[in-house]
Amino acid sequence: MQSATIKPLLSAILFNCCYFLAQAQTTISGTVTDIETGEPLIGVNILVQGTVLGTITDYEGNFNLNVTSDPPLTLTISSVGYERQELEISNKAITNLSVKMTESFMLGQEVVVSASRVEESILQSPVSIEKMDILAIQNTSSDNYYKAIANLKGVDVASSSINFQIINARGFGNTGNTRFVQLTDGMDTQAPALNFPIGNLNGPSELDIESVELIPGASSALYGPSAFNGVLLINGKNAFDYQGLSAFVKTGVNHTGSNADHAPAPLYDMSLRYAKAFKDKFAFKVNFSYSQAEDWHGTDRTDRNASLQPEGLSFNPGADYPHYHGDEAGINLAIFPFSDDFQLIARGTRFDNGRFASNYITSGNNDLPSHVVTLTPYAEEDLIDYGAENIKFNTGLYYRINDKVELSYLFNGGWGTSIYTGAQRYSLSNFGITQHRLQLRGDNFQVKAYGTFEDSGDSYITEFLAKRVNDLAVGYNYPDDFFREQFYGPNGEGSLTGYLVDYGIEYLRYLADDAGLQPGEIDGLSQAERLAIQESAHQSARGYVDGLYHLGAGTTTTDLETGETYTWEQLKKKAKKGVVPDGPSFADKSGMYHAEGQYDFKNQIDFMELQMGASFRMYDLGSKGTIFPDTAGNEISIKEYGVYAQMGKRFSEEFKLSGSVRFDKNENFKGQVNPRIAGVWTIGGTHNLRAAVQTGFRFPTTQGQYIDLDIISRRLLGGLPQFYDTYDLTKTSITGQPLVFTQSSVDAFRNEVFRTGDITDAAAGLLEPFTNAKPVKPEQVKSIELGYKSLLGNKFLIDAVYYYNIYTDFITQIQLVKAEEYTDDESLDRDTSPYGYTYDPDAGATAGDVAPGSILNGTSDNAYQIYTNIDNTVKTQGAAIGLTYSLPKGYTIGGNYNWNQFISGYDDNALKDFNTPEHKFNIKFENRKLTKNLGFATTWRWQEGFRWESSFVKGDVPAYSTLDAQVSYKMSKLKSIVKVGGSNLLGNYYIQSLGGPNIGAIYYISVTFDELMN
């Protein structure tokens, strides 16, 4: 910054400070007590309306305020659980002001800001909104406040780990939800390279949470891209308003019960918070928290290849289980007759010593069945880090420039180990997210800038690690010196082809030697005889190759070439070395920079409400080629801009109309305009009817635009035009024939080839060309919402909502396979697949014709999964109702019911990822003051089974129910609360997403010391 700019700025700041010191002050001091007991109330908020000034009461209920403005002033006095008061101050010096507060169990009194970005009663919000205040957070029946969000109306949760939950609303949920925005103290908590909120891995601890607000449904008109299915706002405590020392410690146990998949294991959670203010000018806060637990285990044996199980066999030799890794690599045995490698090895000396007649394979009979075979996998617990750990540090600095302006700096950091389920299972080992925010806040404006920085640490792809372990095992242990060299890779590891080829050869050896069959003789047997021999042949083949190559925890292996011996842990450590694509680890340090401002014209315009704002965001991708093609010299950044305006007008006491419009532009896509209009009718002062028509949109994520990731079986690609060009996905042969085909047609082609052995006819009849390349573009939603909210007799709260959503340009992923072409006369002699499978084409083939043998098997060299949009219009609808009744003596009973339905619109080739139960409900019963010191809360939650589809696994999530409960005891003299409770108390294990872990019970005891607690 040039001195010409700095000098005026410094002068303005100096003038401001001098002006502040010169002003006469209004001083107010007093005491706040409970009107019934006369006890002083600690931590009561006293705010001066129209300013940023405020304070809280101390241990004795006393407070002091110094205000530069002259009277008259209005004080707003509030405390959770007490009726809100407003006091007019007309004198410049008031001492011994006595404020008496009445305890209130009234419902529906919350004030929210997220629905319209201005303060308003939750009863008259123009859209559906949920809120948890401090008391709800303290009294939750769940084992922590973030998990308690699942009890709010309209919320769906998917857990990848004990410390990693993903929030969603209104359908299309996933373990990484890119359709939902989570803001912590106004900062988007998405990881820049993942593009979805990371749960509470770097959020505030329970000690530093003031409130949680949730808007289910499209909110792009106010919150911009990705606020598509909803927005969650987590608001921390201001250091001026909440001072003193607080501490929290919890210990418990999980993995209990007769069907637990692990021995009972302890868990720990602790937090510290300290905040201090100095003369209402400067304040700071510091937070630290640490948690540790044995993570929930993944033991899912849903067979992702169940459709490939041979009819009549009692097992599937080609099984692929979500939580057993290494079985992602497989092959159809019927492919081997087309392979020169297979025939070469079958004739090798290892099989010519009386065990197996090498001419068996060259007899012209295809005795290898059309059965897919996968490698024997390793259990996930042997590969992934289940030691869930989370360290969080948060600090804030606050400076009040004058009564109306506050400058603050906030730092949030979270580090640790967790598990994420995406297209694969990822171990987020020593993963970290840090955020820095600078904010200038006034009574009618706000300007802030923040950065989010992701560090992948030692994170790795679990399936890739299993492949590397297998590669090393094959390379070290291949028993034939001559052929071992053939299967060595450039880094000294082996090739899985050695494992799979040996499986096929051993299968044939069993037919010849153990079953005593001549070539082709198996075809003449009865079905029962043939199946029995095939089962035994598979078992013999797997036993043979596993004996050579398959390792496991507690085992050792020896490199036959060097004689060096490795333990399982040493081999796994060696296999972890290297980053994608050479190894399983990531090297990501992506960042996101965001700036925004909003101005409220309430001081200039009194006949209506008007707010305007603007934002700028830039993603700076830094994966070093491990996720994106952002190697040195190919750096990638993405810039987005947005502006919005919102207006509101109350035409009478009964009717208010509001509307907003927002424009956003991403440098890779056309600009998007999103309006919203909503009306609220209040009938009889009690019944509030609302209607809203709103739109939403989302730009394709950073991965949806730029991902370029090898996941072994295929390559994940972003949907920008450059990826169609880089990988020739619109390419035709030199004779104009298509070379790229849909995955479904390639699957049918392979099945027919393996059944008949005829490649040419199968290719002609089954392969479906891919000719409709559509680069990805933004997705749109139009939403109609009708709602009703009412508080009857100050005791019965009703909140009901119905929505209808229409999606266009729905973002999905499609799978493609690319074939090779004959380029010259030499290539006509052999049609070669990526694994070396060959055949002699028809004599009529010419240079430029498609070589269908090149797609007999799929790898990341010829199989792709790319982002695009569905042509069809997608429609969904749903409804929810929440009921809460305040009973005598402080008891409260309530609950909610949620209905979500997919109507229509899926394309046959699209991923059907609605992933939401149609019906679910929960019931709560609680009393935070059963006696003066004793309280309790219970919640019963149920949801029906539903279909789950993701790029990781497809299948059914079973129905489940859980019971959470806690009993708390308040020790007033020690300013502490002891809580004993548990989540999923009945201990019935369940899953929230297919491919997610088994979630059991947690039993705990916690102690919270909080001098602010009432």
Side-chain angles (χ1 to χ4, degrees):
M1 186 180 292
Q2 298 179 353
S3 59
T5 305
I6 294 176
K7 289 180 179 179
L9 180 61
L10 292 176
S11 299
I13 294 175
L14 182 62
F15 173 80
N16 218 356
C17 293
C18 295
Y19 177 82
F20 171 79
L21 294 172
Q23 296 303 299
Q25 290 191 342
T26 299
T27 60
I28 309 166
S29 64
T31 303
V32 181
T33 58
D34 186 298
I35 195 170
E36 292 186 2
T37 66
E39 294 180 353
L41 296 180
I42 307 168
V44 176
N45 288 298
I46 297 98
L47 303 176
V48 182
Q49 288 187 9
T51 73
V52 296
L53 295 180
T55 188
I56 57 172
T57 56
D58 61 17
Y59 299 120
E60 305 300 328
N62 298 322
F63 69 92
N64 290 282
L65 262 177
N66 295 311
V67 187
T68 59
S69 303
D70 289 328
L73 303 172
T74 301
L75 299 184
T76 299
I77 303 171
S78 63
S79 182
V80 176
Y82 287 85
E83 293 183 8
R84 184 185 180 103
Q85 296 186 37
E86 291 188 357
L87 295 179
E88 295 292 331
I89 302 298
S90 56
N91 298 326
K92 296 190 66 173
I94 296 181
T95 59
N96 301 321
L97 180 65
S98 179
V99 180
K100 300 183 183 298
M101 300 193 73
T102 302
E103 193 168 7
S104 172
F105 291 98
M106 292 174 61
L107 302 171
Q109 302 303 303
E110 297 97 333
V111 173
V112 294
V113 297
S114 55
S116 304
R117 287 192 180 242
V118 294
E119 286 191 356
E120 60 191 356
S121 167
I122 195 171
L123 289 174
Q124 297 183 338
S125 167
V127 294
S128 182
I129 186 170
E130 302 287 304
K131 181 173 182 176
M132 293 170 58
D133 58 25
I134 291 178
L135 282 183
I137 291 168
Q138 292 172 352
N139 202 50
T140 177
S141 58
S142 300
D143 59 279
N144 67 51
Y145 87 91
Y146 197 84
K147 293 180 183 177
I149 296 171
N151 298 327
L152 298 178
K153 176 166 48 64
V155 175
D156 298 303
V157 176
S159 293
S160 285
S161 172
I162 196 171
N163 58 5
F164 194 178
Q165 291 81 40
I166 296 297
I167 305 295
N168 186 51
R170 299 189 177 178
F172 303 111
N174 216 314
T175 50
N177 190 6
T178 58
R179 301 166 180 270
F180 191 89
V181 169
Q182 178 177 313
L183 302 175
T184 299
D185 288 316
M187 293 183 288
D188 193 335
T189 63
Q190 66 167 285
L194 298 177
N195 273 152
F196 57 81
I198 57 169
N200 199 34
L201 287 177
N202 81 325
S205 71
E206 294 184 31
L207 296 176
D208 197 42
I209 299 296
E210 183 178 55
S211 65
V212 175
E213 296 184 20
L214 170 80
I215 307 174
S219 303
S220 297
L222 286 182
Y223 292 96
S226 300
F228 203 69
N229 283 10
V231 178
L232 179 72
L233 295 96
I234 298 176
N235 304 306
K237 295 176 179 177
N238 188 291
F240 281 108
D241 300 335
Y242 298 88
Q243 298 181 42
L245 176 67
S246 304
F248 166 83
V249 63
K250 176 172 67 179
T251 184
V253 63
N254 65 344
H255 297 286
T256 62
S258 58
N259 59 343
D261 47 34
H262 188 274
L267 57 86
Y268 309 97
D269 192 0
M270 60 85 64
S271 299
L272 289 171
R273 181 185 189 272
Y274 182 71
K276 176 68 174 176
F278 300 91
K279 297 183 178 179
D280 292 328
K281 287 294 293 178
F282 173 75
F284 74 91
K285 69 176 181 179
V286 178
N287 290 278
F288 173 80
S289 63
Y290 173 79
S291 65
Q292 186 274 328
E294 172 73 14
D295 211 335
W296 302 123
H297 284 212
T299 58
D300 192 345
R301 294 188 68 89
T302 300
D303 187 359
R304 292 183 284 195
N305 287 345
S307 63
L308 302 179
Q309 179 168 337
E311 185 177 355
L313 290 191
S314 62
F315 61 89
N316 183 8
D320 178 12
Y321 305 120
H323 294 139
Y324 294 80
H325 306 295
D327 54 5
E328 297 79 21
I331 204 166
N332 193 306
L333 292 179
I335 203 172
F336 284 135
F338 303 106
S339 170
D340 283 346
D341 282 344
F342 183 73
Q343 296 187 36
L344 177 66
I345 297 167
R347 297 184 181 121
T349 57
R350 183 154 61 92
F351 298 98
D352 256 348
N353 297 324
R355 294 181 64 237
F356 173 53
S358 63
N359 64 354
Y360 192 96
I361 193 172
T362 62
S363 65
N365 292 283
N366 185 8
D367 287 343
L368 286 168
S370 180
H371 295 174
V372 172
V373 172
T374 54
L375 278 63
T376 301
Y378 299 99
E380 184 172 276
E381 64 181 351
D382 294 332
L383 295 166
I384 210 164
D385 189 350
Y386 277 138
E389 188 176 34
N390 191 200
I391 300 172
K392 295 188 285 191
F393 179 76
N394 164 278
T395 187
L397 305 175
Y398 302 82
Y399 178 69
R400 288 174 174 167
I401 298 174
N402 55 41
D403 288 0
K404 296 184 179 294
V405 180
E406 178 182 276
L407 178 66
S408 63
Y409 164 77
L410 192 66
F411 169 82
N412 284 339
W415 305 266
T417 296
S418 188
I419 298 169
Y420 160 55
T421 305
Q424 297 169 296
R425 288 279 279 178
Y426 302 94
S427 178
L428 303 181
S429 180
N430 299 318
F431 178 83
I433 291 283
T434 57
Q435 294 182 295
H436 301 264
R437 189 204 73 183
L438 191 63
Q439 176 177 279
L440 190 66
R441 178 177 67 93
D443 173 51
N444 62 338
F445 74 92
Q446 180 176 280
V447 179
K448 64 185 172 188
Y450 64 87
T452 303
F453 307 97
E454 175 182 354
D455 188 340
S456 59
D458 301 317
S459 301
Y460 58 88
I461 306 172
T462 311
E463 290 90 338
F464 203 150
L465 176 60
K467 176 186 180 298
R468 288 274 292 154
V469 169
N470 279 322
D471 285 345
L472 292 171
V474 173
Y476 291 159
N477 294 285
Y478 202 81
D480 187 295
D481 292 340
F482 175 78
F483 293 110
R484 186 190 316 131
E485 184 176 343
Q486 180 168 343
F487 292 128
Y488 261 81
N491 299 317
E493 79 276 9
S495 163
L496 296 183
T497 309
Y499 183 110
L500 296 166
V501 166
D502 278 3
Y503 189 109
I505 293 172
E506 178 62 20
Y507 184 98
L508 290 178
R509 188 213 61 78
Y510 181 89
L511 298 185
D513 292 351
D514 294 352
L517 298 176
Q518 296 297 315
E521 191 174 350
I522 193 172
D523 293 335
L525 301 178
S526 69
Q527 182 181 16
E529 292 174 320
R530 185 174 68 253
L531 289 173
I533 290 174
Q534 287 179 335
E535 286 214 11
S536 297
H538 276 298
Q539 292 167 351
S540 175
R542 187 170 297 278
Y544 176 76
V545 293
D546 282 354
L548 285 175
Y549 311 125
H550 189 72
L551 306 174
T555 63
T556 60
T557 186
T558 302
D559 186 338
L560 295 182
E561 186 171 31
T562 66
E564 188 172 359
T565 299
Y566 296 92
T567 66
W568 165 254
E569 289 301 324
Q570 287 172 333
L571 189 68
K572 189 168 67 171
K573 184 176 181 181
K574 185 173 183 179
K576 281 184 180 179
K577 291 182 178 179
V579 297
V580 177
D582 300 318
S585 299
F586 294 108
D588 180 57
K589 292 188 177 180
S590 295
M592 179 183 73
Y593 303 88
H594 183 94
E596 68 175 73
Q598 175 179 296
Y599 191 85
D600 190 332
F601 290 87
K602 65 180 182 179
N603 297 332
Q604 291 78 31
I605 302 175
D606 56 8
F607 65 91
M608 64 177 292
E609 298 172 355
L610 175 63
Q611 299 86 35
M612 299 183 70
S615 65
F616 167 78
R617 174 171 292 187
M618 184 180 76
Y619 294 94
D620 183 16
L621 306 184
S623 75
K624 297 183 180 178
T626 60
I627 302 174
F628 309 103
D630 54 351
T631 52
N634 296 298
E635 289 79 9
I636 298 173
S637 64
I638 308 170
K639 298 180 180 66
E640 296 178 357
Y641 312 84
V643 294
Y644 65 89
Q646 175 173 263
M647 295 148 284
K649 172 70 174 177
R650 183 169 290 281
F651 292 93
S652 66
E653 290 296 321
E654 292 78 26
F655 178 66
K656 180 181 179 180
L657 185 67
S658 62
S660 57
V661 62
R662 182 179 178 110
F663 173 81
D664 285 272
K665 177 72 174 71
N666 179 295
E667 63 178 294
N668 291 327
F669 306 100
K670 294 180 179 179
Q672 304 293 313
V673 177
N674 282 268
R676 179 182 82 171
I677 187 167
V680 180
W681 295 262
T682 301
I683 301 173
T686 301
H687 305 280
N688 298 283
L689 300 173
R690 64 181 185 271
V693 179
Q694 51 191 329
T695 58
F697 78 101
R698 67 184 187 108
F699 292 124
T701 64
T702 55
Q703 292 193 16
Q705 296 176 55
Y706 284 106
I707 192 171
D708 190 341
L709 178 62
D710 182 341
I711 61 168
I712 305 172
S713 60
R714 66 186 67 254
R715 181 174 290 275
L716 304 181
L717 295 178
L720 294 179
Q722 68 192 61
F723 291 99
Y724 286 93
D725 298 335
T726 300
Y727 292 96
D728 293 327
L729 297 184
T730 58
K731 183 181 179 181
T732 58
S733 71
I734 57 177
T735 58
Q737 299 180 46
L739 289 173
V740 182
F741 304 95
T742 64
Q743 181 71 58
S744 58
S745 72
V746 170
D747 290 341
F749 158 74
R750 290 171 182 166
N751 292 337
E752 183 68 8
V753 171
F754 300 143
R755 185 181 69 84
T756 65
D758 190 331
I759 291 181
T760 304
D761 288 346
L766 295 171
L767 288 179
E768 177 185 341
F770 172 72
T771 58
N772 189 22
K774 296 184 300 182
V776 71
K777 56 185 177 181
E779 180 178 338
Q780 314 281 342
V781 63
K782 294 181 177 64
S783 180
I784 299 172
E785 181 178 308
L786 304 174
Y788 168 76
K789 186 174 286 189
S790 178
L791 180 62
L792 305 178
N794 290 330
K795 290 184 178 295
F796 187 31
L797 179 65
I798 304 172
D799 186 5
V801 62
Y802 168 81
Y803 72 88
Y804 187 89
N805 288 347
I806 302 172
Y807 299 85
T808 54
D809 294 322
F810 192 90
I811 296 176
T812 187
Q813 298 175 66
I814 57 172
Q815 295 180 348
L816 307 171
V817 182
K818 183 176 68 175
E820 300 297 327
E821 64 181 312
Y822 301 120
T823 57
D824 51 39
D825 291 338
E826 183 177 352
S827 70
L828 293 175
D829 295 332
R830 194 174 74 166
D831 182 8
T832 307
S833 81
Y835 271 174
Y837 311 117
T838 64
Y839 82 105
D840 292 327
D842 287 346
T846 61
D849 284 350
V850 176
S854 62
I855 56 174
L856 283 176
N857 201 42
T859 72
S860 57
D861 292 326
N862 69 343
Y864 306 93
Q865 183 168 302
I866 190 167
Y867 283 85
T868 188
N869 303 85
I870 294 178
D871 289 330
N872 301 340
T873 298
V874 175
K875 299 178 181 179
T876 66
Q877 64 178 341
I881 184 169
L883 305 173
T884 304
Y885 190 77
S886 180
L887 298 166
K889 298 183 178 180
Y891 290 94
T892 300
I893 188 170
N896 58 66
Y897 163 77
N898 301 270
W899 171 63
N900 295 284
Q901 184 184 64
F902 178 85
I903 300 174
S904 63
Y906 276 137
D907 186 286
D908 289 340
N909 293 320
L911 198 62
K912 301 173 177 60
D913 61 347
F914 189 63
N915 296 342
T916 305
E918 185 169 355
H919 304 282
K920 66 175 185 176
F921 67 85
N922 66 62
I923 299 172
K924 67 178 181 180
F925 181 55
E926 59 186 12
N927 188 337
R928 69 182 183 87
K929 281 197 172 183
L930 184 63
T931 66
K932 180 180 178 181
N933 296 319
L934 188 66
F936 76 91
T938 61
T939 303
W940 172 270
R941 186 169 63 251
W942 173 90
Q943 70 175 42
E944 71 171 353
F946 63 98
R947 177 72 176 176
W948 180 278
E949 293 197 9
S950 69
S951 56
F952 183 65
V953 64
K954 300 177 183 179
D956 296 323
V957 174
Y960 71 86
S961 60
T962 64
L963 175 64
D964 299 345
Q966 62 87 7
V967 176
S968 59
Y969 185 78
K970 182 177 179 181
M971 297 183 291
S972 301
K973 291 184 178 180
L974 298 177
K975 300 182 177 65
S976 301
I977 285 184
V978 178
K979 182 186 291 188
V980 178
S983 60
N984 190 19
L985 278 172
L986 303 182
N988 297 318
Y989 277 73
Y990 65 96
I991 60 172
Q992 293 181 320
S993 60
L994 204 62
N998 290 330
I999 303 172
I1002 292 177
Y1003 307 98
Y1004 65 89
I1005 180 170
S1006 69
V1007 179
T1008 302
F1009 167 80
D1010 193 342
E1011 62 190 26
L1012 306 177
M1013 193 167 294
N1014 298 319

